[in-house]
Amino acid sequence: MIDTVFWPLVKIVVLLNAVMVSVTFMTLLERKVIAWAQSRLGPMRVGPYGVLQAIADPIKLILKEDITPAKADKVMFTLAPIMSLVPAFVVFAVIPFGADPFYYVADINVGLLFIVSVTSIGVYGIILAGWASNSKYPLLASLRASAQLISYEIAVTMTLVSLILTAGTLSMVGIVEAQQEAGVWFGFIQPVAFVLVLIGGLAETNRAPFDMPEAEQELTGGFHTEYSGMRFALFFLAEYANMIVISAVIVVLFWGGWLRPFPSVDALAVLDYIPQWCWFFFKMFMVLYLFIWIRATLPRYRYDQLMRIGWKVLIPIAIANVVITAVVKVLL
Amino acid sequence: MATESAAMFDTDELVLNMGPQHPSTHGVLRLVLRLDGERVKDVDVVMGYVHRGIEKLSENRDWTQIILLTDRMDYVAAATNNLGYCETVEKLMEVEVPRRARYIRTILAELQRIASHCLWLGTHAMDIGAMTVFLYAFRERELILDLFEEYCGARLTYNSMRIGGLPLDLPSGWDAKVRAFCDIMDSKVEEYEELLTNNRIWLQRTRGIGVISGPDATALGLCGPPLRGSGVYRDVRKDEPYAAYDEFEFDVPLGTRGDTYDRYLIRLEEFRQSIRIIRQAVDGLPEGPIMGKVPRLLKPKAGETYHAIESPKGELGYFIASDGRSTNPYRFRVRPPSFCNLQGLRPLVIGHLVADVVALIGTLDVVLGEVDR
Amino acid sequence: MAETIAFYTLSVLILGLAVLVVTAKNTVHSVVSLVMTFLCVAALYVVLEAEFLAVIQILVYAGGIVVLYLFVVMLVNVGRPPEEHRDPRRLSVLGLGLAGAMLLEVAGIVAYSYSRSTSSVTAPAGPSPVQGNTEELGWLLYTDYLIPFELASVLLLVAMVGAIVLARRDL
C-alpha cells in the first residue's frame, strides 16, 4: 500500500508544486533573457534584480477581477483554461529525471505515446476558449489553433516513429537506457528528427515564431483576449508548463536525459559526481533558453505559411526520415 | 454536383472591426474588414478619430504661432513639418534664408527622417512579430531625440524653426556628436539588416505582399517610399530642391517589384543616404547668421503659394493664401503624405490575410495625427 | 474488486456522456461530451491492461479527429434550428429495421462466443516471440492479421482520395 499509493502521491504533489514554481520563474527567465537580447534590463524593481517578480505576478493575477463576458458560454468559458492546464501537468508523470525510480512517478511501457496523446488534448483548452468567448478575434484564434495542432501533430508523431525505431522502445526510461547502451545521444544519430521535433514543439506550444493563436499584433491576444485574472493565468501556466514538457521530452529523446556527456567514455567518469538530475535540468535549461532565444529573434509566420511548412515540408521529411531509419536499422 | 456542393459550403462573411483600439493600427485607425475565413474581401478605412482642426485653427493664428501647430501633425517628424511650413511662408514673403540656417535645417530634417524611419522600422517589424528590432530601433531613435533635446530643448514637438531662419544656433560640440551618431547609426543599420533582410520568415512575410505597380501607385497619389518602392522616381529633394539639398550628393533608392519588401529595403537605404547627407552638411557647415531679414510683424502681401518638401513619409505640401491685410493666413491647407498613402491601403489589403493587414498598415507608415490633422 | 468498480463507474460515465452527445442542444457541447466519452473509453482500455490501445484512442480520436469536428462545428452556423424531416414515418421504419439488425448481430456474436467458450482468438500461428502489450499487438498485426491490416489501410487511402475529390471543385 505504501509503495503503490503513498509514495506516488507524495511524488505527484512535490512534482506539481515544483512545476508550478518553475513555471513562474520561467516567466521571469523569459523576461530577463529577452530583455538582455534587446539591450534592456527587464524586471528590476521587485526584489534584487527583480527575482521576486516571479512571485509578484501570480499574486497580482489572483487578486485581479475575474471577468466573464456577458454573452460567453459560461460552462465552456470556465472549463477551457482547466482543459488546457491539466494535460500539461499530467505529462510530467512519465518524465524520468534520473535513472533511479525515485526520480520519476511512473515508467509505463507506452510513455512516449502517452506524452504525445495527452499533449494533444491540451489544444481543446485553446479552441474552446476561443469559441466560448463569443468574440471574433478569439474565434479566429481558435480556428488557427486547431488547424495548426492537426498539421504539426502528424509531423511530430511521424518523427517520433523514427526515434522509436532507433531506441526500440516506447518507454521514456528505456529510451535513455538505449542511449546509454548505444554510447551516444540520439541527437547525434537523428539530427533531422531533433530539428523536426523542435519545430513541431514550438508550433504545438504556440511559441514564436508560430504563436499565431496568440498573435497580439494581429488578434490582440487571440484566444485569451476575453480572459482576465486567474483564468488568464491558467492559460499562461499551461503554456509555460507545455514548454517545460517539450524541453524535457527533447532532452530525454535526443540529449541523453540524465546521462552525462559521452556516457561510454570511462575517462570522463569523474563527471558522474555531478548528480544525474543536475544534468537533466541543465540540458532542459539549455533547450528552454533556445526557445526564448528564438522568440527574441524571429518574426512571426503567417497562418497559411505555417500550414504549408507543416504539410509540405515537415511531414514529407518526417516520413523520409522514418524510411531511412528503418532501412538503416534493417541493414545494420 | 459542383454547384450543389458550392451552395452547401457557402459561408457567411465575417465582419471584423479592427481598431480604433488595436495594437497594430498605429494610433486610432479603424478598419472594418470583411473576411472570408482569414482572407480580406473588402475593407472600409475609417479615420478622423484625432481630428483637431489644425487647418482651420491655423487660419485664426499668428504666422509664427502656426509653427507650433505643425508640430502636432506628424508628431514623429515634427522638425520636417516645421521646415515645410516655414519654407512655404518664406516663399510667400520672398525671404532670403541664410546659408548656415539652410544647412542646419537640412541636418535637422535628415536626423528627423532617421528618427521617423526608426519608429517605422520598429513598429513594422513588431507588427510582423520581430519584437527585438523594435527595441533596437527605439534605442537609436533615443540618440536622435537626445540630439534634438540638446539643440532646442524638446524631444517630440520641437518648434525648432522660425520663418526666415532658426531660433537658435547650434550648441558647441553638437556637430561632433552628430558625427559620432552617424558612425553609430551606420553600424546599427547593418544590425537591422542582419536581423531582417535575409531572414526567411521576414522574406516570406513581406515579399509579394501588397504589390502595387508604378502607374497604379501614381494614380492613387501615393508618395514617398511607397511610390518609390513601385519604381517611380519622385523625390522632392531632387526634383524641386529646397533647404540646401541641391548642394549635397545623395541617391534616391528605387524598388522594382513594388511589394512590402521593396518598401522596406528603400527605407533602409534611406537611412544610409540620410547619414550621407548629414555628414556632408556637418562637414561643410558655413559660418554666418541664422536668421534672414524678416519684419517684426509678419504680414505677407496678398497672394497664395504651394510648397512641398520630402517628409519621411512622402510629399508634404502646404498651400497658404494670404489676404495681405491680417496677421494670419486666409486659407491654410496641408497635403499630408500619410493621408495620401492611407488611400493605398484598401487596394493593397484586398485579397490578403488578416496577418498581412497589419504588415501593410506598417509598410505605408502612416501617422494618424497627420492623416486626421 | 477495484477493477469491477472501475469498470462500472467508467461504463456509467461513458453511457451518460454518450447520451449527452446526442441530446445536447449546442453542437459544441455535444462535441465536448464526445471527447469526454473517448477519454473514458481510453480509461476503460487501461483497466483492461491495453495501454497501447488506450493511448492510441486518445491520440487518434480525442486528440485528432474530434479537433476536426470542432473545427467544422465552429465554422457552421449553430444558431440555425435543425431542419425538419419530410417523412418521419419512413425513416423511423428504416431506423427500427437497422436497430433490429444491430440487435441480431450482437446476439449472434454473443451466441458465437459462448459456443466457442475457450480462447481461440488469441492463439496465433506460433508462440509470440515478443513480450509486452505494444509489441504483441504489432506482432499480431503483421503476422496473423496482415491482410486485414493492409486492407484497412487501403480503405483509409480510398476514403482520403474520395474526400479530396469531393472537396475540390476544380478537379
Side-chain angles (χ1 to χ4, degrees):
Chain A
M1 197 62 180
I2 280 182
D3 267 355
T4 55
V5 178
F6 179 70
W7 279 115
L9 271 181
V10 169
K11 278 188 207 166
I12 288 169
V13 170
V14 170
L15 193 62
L16 283 187
N17 283 297
V19 172
M20 291 269 204
V21 173
S22 51
V23 162
T24 57
F25 279 93
M26 183 68 211
T27 59
L28 179 72
L29 177 78
E30 168 152 44
R31 289 173 70 177
K32 276 290 186 187
V33 171
I34 289 186
W36 292 331
Q38 295 169 343
S39 64
R40 52 192 178 93
L41 291 170
M44 286 296 277
R45 296 283 167 188
V46 192
Y49 293 96
V51 286
L52 295 182
Q53 187 73 42
I55 295 164
D57 278 343
I59 293 175
K60 182 200 81 173
L61 284 167
I62 290 170
L63 294 179
K64 270 197 158 186
E65 188 187 352
D66 190 4
I67 301 164
T68 310
K71 294 225 170 164
D73 186 317
K74 304 274 183 317
V75 180
M76 290 298 161
F77 195 77
T78 316
L79 207 59
I82 301 168
M83 281 188 96
S84 83
L85 184 65
V86 170
F89 276 32
V90 167
V91 171
F92 281 100
V94 295
I95 289 174
F97 296 98
D100 193 85
F102 177 73
Y103 289 110
Y104 48 82
V105 177
D107 174 30
I108 60 175
N109 58 6
V110 285
L112 189 52
L113 277 180
F114 177 80
I115 291 174
V116 175
S117 60
V118 172
T119 47
S120 70
I121 299 287
V123 77
Y124 282 109
I126 293 175
I127 299 177
L128 289 176
W131 179 81
S133 299
N134 197 5
S135 169
K136 283 169 186 171
Y137 287 116
L139 184 72
L140 283 177
S142 61
L143 289 180
R144 286 180 177 192
S146 44
Q148 183 174 330
L149 175 99
I150 291 290
S151 26
Y152 276 82
E153 208 180 59
I154 296 173
V156 169
T157 315
M158 279 313 272
T159 315
L160 292 184
V161 170
S162 62
L163 208 89
I164 294 163
L165 280 175
T166 317
T169 173
L170 284 170
S171 142
M172 295 296 271
V173 177
I175 288 172
V176 179
E177 278 162 359
Q179 297 183 53
Q180 191 155 26
E181 274 168 36
V184 58
W185 295 348
F186 286 158
F188 296 110
I189 302 178
Q190 293 274 14
V192 179
F194 167 63
V195 173
L196 287 177
V197 171
L198 186 69
I199 295 174
L202 285 172
E204 280 205 41
T205 49
N206 299 324
R207 293 284 305 177
F210 304 110
D211 54 347
M212 263 118 304
E214 278 181 63
E216 61 264 17
Q217 288 91 359
E218 297 153 22
L219 301 181
T220 65
F223 61 92
H224 57 59
T225 304
E226 304 287 344
Y227 279 84
S228 57
M230 202 53 212
R231 286 187 228 191
F232 169 74
L234 289 186
F235 278 122
F236 224 71
L237 216 56
E239 180 182 331
Y240 284 88
N242 269 324
M243 258 172 83
I244 296 177
V245 167
I246 291 284
S247 58
V249 170
I250 287 177
V251 166
V252 168
L253 296 186
F254 297 103
W255 305 114
W258 62 77
L259 300 177
R260 65 178 162 84
F262 307 105
S264 58
V265 180
D266 289 332
L268 288 170
V270 67
L271 288 175
D272 284 335
Y273 286 109
I274 299 171
Q276 289 174 338
W277 55 270
C278 282
W279 285 116
F280 193 92
F281 286 128
F282 174 71
K283 292 171 190 170
M284 232 168 89
F285 177 80
M286 297 309 276
V287 178
L288 287 171
Y289 184 84
L290 184 65
F291 274 37
I292 299 172
W293 185 8
I294 288 172
R295 177 169 173 209
T297 311
L298 293 179
R300 180 183 301 113
Y301 265 113
R302 211 174 57 204
Y303 159 70
D304 60 320
Q305 291 166 344
L306 170 109
M307 301 287 286
R308 201 173 306 138
I309 296 170
W311 287 101
K312 294 192 175 167
V313 181
L314 294 190
I315 291 177
I317 293 179
I319 292 174
N321 198 35
V322 171
V323 172
I324 292 169
T325 310
V327 167
V328 170
K329 176 118 180 160
V330 168
L331 289 183
L332 291 182
Chain B
M1 178 66 208
T3 51
E4 190 186 315
S5 68
M8 238 169 71
F9 295 130
D10 243 4
T11 44
D12 294 338
E13 62 183 26
L14 178 72
V15 179
L16 187 68
N17 196 17
M18 200 175 195
Q21 315 291 321
H22 186 283
S24 298
T25 51
H26 294 203
V28 286
L29 179 65
R30 178 175 160 219
L31 302 177
V32 184
L33 300 167
R34 293 176 189 286
L35 301 177
D36 175 20
E38 285 218 15
R39 204 160 282 282
V40 180
K41 281 163 82 179
D42 199 3
V43 58
D44 283 336
V45 182
V46 185
M47 47 125 205
Y49 290 93
V50 278
H51 178 64
R52 290 146 299 172
I54 286 180
E55 289 173 354
K56 194 67 193 166
L57 202 59
S58 301
E59 288 165 19
N60 294 301
R61 288 289 182 278
D62 232 308
W63 292 93
T64 40
Q65 287 173 329
I66 296 171
I67 302 173
L68 188 127
L69 287 176
T70 60
D71 278 339
R72 270 81 183 164
M73 290 195 302
D74 184 355
Y75 41 77
V76 301
T80 328
N81 294 0
N82 297 158
L83 175 64
Y85 171 70
C86 290
E87 289 210 327
T88 317
V89 180
E90 283 152 12
K91 193 172 162 190
L92 191 67
M93 296 175 65
E94 290 160 2
V95 174
E96 177 83 12
V97 181
R99 193 152 169 260
R100 182 175 173 84
R102 286 192 282 126
Y103 264 64
I104 297 175
R105 281 179 172 187
T106 313
I107 297 174
L108 291 179
E110 289 307 313
L111 280 177
Q112 189 70 84
R113 188 184 311 280
I114 296 177
S116 171
H117 279 7
C118 274
L119 191 125
W120 158 80
L121 178 68
T123 50
H124 185 40
M126 180 90 162
D127 288 346
I128 298 184
M131 61 173 174
T132 299
V133 182
F134 174 77
L135 284 132
Y136 284 1
F138 265 61
R139 182 182 63 193
E140 273 72 73
R141 181 168 176 264
E142 196 65 22
L143 299 175
I144 300 176
L145 295 192
D146 287 345
L147 287 174
F148 268 104
E149 191 179 8
E150 203 177 334
Y151 172 67
C152 65
R155 290 170 65 83
L156 191 70
T157 48
Y158 305 121
N159 196 10
S160 60
M161 292 174 199
R162 294 292 178 271
I163 293 158
L166 295 162
L168 306 153
D169 207 338
L170 297 181
S172 63
W174 198 77
D175 50 345
K177 283 178 186 162
V178 171
R179 276 199 197 96
F181 167 76
C182 288
D183 295 340
I184 296 171
M185 196 63 208
D186 255 345
S187 64
K188 296 302 178 189
V189 175
E190 295 292 321
E191 202 174 298
Y192 307 150
E193 290 238 45
E194 261 174 48
L195 268 168
L196 296 177
T197 303
N198 291 318
N199 184 317
R200 289 180 69 100
I201 304 179
W202 182 260
L203 282 171
Q204 288 188 26
R205 285 301 303 275
T206 54
R207 223 179 228 170
I209 302 299
V211 181
I212 188 157
S213 71
D216 285 351
T218 319
L220 272 167
L222 298 189
C223 53
L227 182 66
R228 292 194 286 271
S230 302
V232 179
Y233 186 92
R234 166 72 180 161
D235 188 325
V236 186
R237 290 177 294 176
K238 285 279 188 195
D239 297 347
E240 299 144 34
Y242 56 94
Y245 283 108
D246 48 353
E247 299 180 30
F248 304 129
E249 272 181 21
F250 63 97
D251 301 324
V252 179
L254 288 181
T256 48
R257 292 175 297 263
D259 58 4
T260 303
Y261 187 63
D262 272 7
R263 292 186 279 270
Y264 155 79
L265 287 180
I266 281 177
R267 289 201 179 92
L268 274 196
E269 185 56 33
E270 284 188 4
F271 274 128
R272 298 209 176 87
Q273 297 302 330
S274 290
I275 295 168
R276 199 170 150 200
I277 296 172
I278 293 170
R279 283 213 175 102
Q280 293 174 49
V282 172
D283 288 344
L285 195 63
E287 294 297 324
I290 51 160
M291 271 302 271
K293 286 203 171 60
V294 184
R296 202 36 76 84
L297 186 67
L298 293 171
K299 203 186 248 184
K301 60 180 186 299
E304 55 180 50
T305 189
Y306 174 82
H307 178 70
I309 64 164
E310 186 74 21
S311 97
K313 277 139 193 107
E315 183 179 336
L316 171 67
Y318 287 89
F319 172 82
I320 298 176
S322 167
D323 58 5
R325 284 174 283 123
S326 51
T327 53
N328 41 20
Y330 178 73
R331 175 83 175 93
F332 182 85
R333 159 93 184 123
V334 186
R335 183 218 188 264
S338 295
F339 179 78
C340 296
N341 284 342
L342 191 61
Q343 293 191 60
L345 189 60
R346 185 168 173 271
L348 286 186
V349 159
I350 288 177
H352 284 299
L353 298 168
V354 175
D356 296 326
V357 173
V358 295
L360 289 169
I361 298 172
T363 191
L364 290 177
D365 192 18
V366 292
V367 165
L368 269 296
E370 190 181 48
V371 173
D372 295 343
R373 302 190 295 293
Chain C
M1 180 59 195
E3 231 171 67
T4 325
I5 296 172
F7 174 76
Y8 281 109
T9 321
L10 283 169
S11 307
V12 168
L13 269 176
I14 291 170
L15 290 177
L17 286 166
V19 169
L20 267 184
V21 173
V22 286
T23 53
K25 283 236 170 60
N26 193 317
T27 331
V28 172
H29 289 183
S30 154
V31 173
V32 172
S33 313
L34 190 63
V35 177
M36 303 282 190
T37 316
F38 284 145
L39 291 182
C40 290
V41 171
L44 201 61
Y45 283 138
V46 172
V47 173
L48 293 171
E49 291 180 8
E51 293 94 355
F52 183 76
L53 264 190
V55 166
I56 291 296
Q57 165 87 10
I58 298 178
L59 183 61
V60 174
Y61 287 98
I65 291 176
V66 183
V67 172
L68 288 179
Y69 282 9
L70 257 190
F71 189 82
V72 174
V73 164
M74 282 194 305
L75 285 176
V76 198
N77 187 4
V78 284
R80 194 166 45 192
E83 290 152 26
E84 283 185 28
H85 299 296
R86 286 210 194 100
D87 186 0
R89 203 178 46 193
R90 195 178 70 188
L91 283 180
S92 67
V93 168
L94 185 69
L96 211 62
L98 279 177
M102 190 77 193
L103 204 65
L104 268 177
E105 201 180 327
V106 171
I109 290 171
V110 170
Y112 181 72
S113 61
Y114 264 104
S115 67
R116 302 177 54 175
S117 52
T118 46
S119 60
S120 58
V121 187
T122 50
S128 165
V130 287
Q131 276 136 25
N133 196 303
T134 319
E135 289 87 343
E136 220 162 304
L137 198 73
W139 183 260
L140 272 180
L141 274 183
Y142 281 99
T143 53
D144 289 11
Y145 297 96
L146 182 61
I147 290 172
F149 178 75
E150 291 295 333
L151 280 180
S153 62
V154 170
L155 188 71
L156 282 177
L157 184 68
V158 170
M160 222 154 81
V161 172
I164 292 169
V165 169
L166 280 180
R168 286 199 59 151
R169 291 164 205 176
D170 52 347
L171 267 180

